[in-house]
Amino acid sequence: MTMRATLGAGCYWGTENYVKNTWGKDGSVTRSAVGFMGGAGANPSYDAVCSGRTGHVEVLDVDLADPKGAGPAVVYENLIRYFFQFHDPTTMNRQGNDAGTQYASVIFVYDEEQRRIATKVKGELQAHLDAGRLKAGFAGKTVSTTIVGAMPFYAAHNSHQDYLQKNPGGYCNHRIRFKAWPAVPEL
């Protein structure tokens, strides 16, 4: 299984901050870069992506490690669960005040094991929402996150890397929407 993950969850500054500096503080993230994936054309500029003309999504691209020896699949599944906790996956191309195709909720997968895990976790979240087991403050009731094959990654300008570390008061619309996954009742 590939230990690389690329996630679109709205503004990439917040995605990087939550994944790298919160979830990955135990050493699970060994490399991170914000940038763009999924559109037409190579090396798009930030302005071109924000115009909506390229179709690229703002993403966080990370390499993962397994510091606790749980196995790559467990590390990846834990990341995907966390991904759904810090952004609103029910809004198509929108996170809070940020609207546009560049703010889509997307999981770019590198192999079939990642696709299986992402699909499973997305389905579990939808089941929790359908059953009313989760009060997450999402705008909608249907998970709109797409799961697609990874495409070429284009790193954003250096000034955008580690932006919220460099600018602690900078804009971030992400927040933890629920602290833990609900237990699934036994049948």
Side-chain angles (χ1 to χ4, degrees):
M1 179 177 170
T2 301
M3 289 298 281
R4 180 178 180 188
T6 306
L7 306 170
C11 177
Y12 53 33
W13 297 338
T15 305
E16 178 183 46
N17 191 50
Y18 273 84
V19 172
K20 177 184 176 185
N21 300 318
T22 303
W23 181 83
K25 69 183 174 189
D26 67 349
S28 295
V29 175
T30 60
R31 180 202 58 85
S32 71
V34 297
F36 314 105
M37 189 176 276
N43 295 311
S45 70
Y46 180 74
D47 289 339
V49 171
C50 288
S51 75
R53 293 188 314 263
T54 70
H56 288 88
V57 177
E58 289 191 18
V59 297
L60 173 67
D61 186 60
V62 295
D63 288 338
L64 302 172
D66 184 9
K68 298 176 185 165
V74 172
V75 172
Y76 186 76
E77 184 169 330
N78 288 340
L79 173 61
I80 299 304
R81 288 180 187 282
Y82 186 71
F83 164 79
F84 284 121
Q85 288 177 253
F86 74 82
H87 83 291
D88 186 344
T90 70
T91 53
M92 180 67 71
N93 300 329
R94 178 180 203 91
Q95 289 298 312
N97 294 329
D98 296 334
T101 55
Q102 72 271 27
Y103 300 120
S105 176
V106 183
I107 302 169
F108 290 96
V109 297
Y110 288 88
D111 56 37
E112 285 308 308
E113 180 72 358
Q114 285 189 350
R115 184 180 303 279
R116 183 192 67 72
I117 291 168
T119 301
K120 177 186 113 176
V121 174
K122 176 183 173 183
E124 287 176 9
L125 178 60
Q126 187 62 61
H128 288 313
L129 291 172
D130 291 345
R133 289 189 293 267
L134 192 59
K135 305 294 185 226
F138 293 150
K141 295 183 189 259
T142 301
V143 178
S144 64
T145 303
T146 56
I147 300 167
V148 297
M151 300 169 194
F153 171 75
Y154 303 103
H157 189 272
N158 239 10
S159 65
H160 286 230
Q161 305 300 328
D162 294 308
Y163 183 83
L164 291 176
Q165 290 293 96
K166 297 173 196 170
N167 302 281
Y171 172 74
C172 179
N173 63 29
H174 294 85
R175 62 183 165 83
I176 298 298
R177 293 170 182 275
F178 61 99
K179 291 195 185 276
W181 281 71
V184 177
E186 304 243 349
L187 299 177

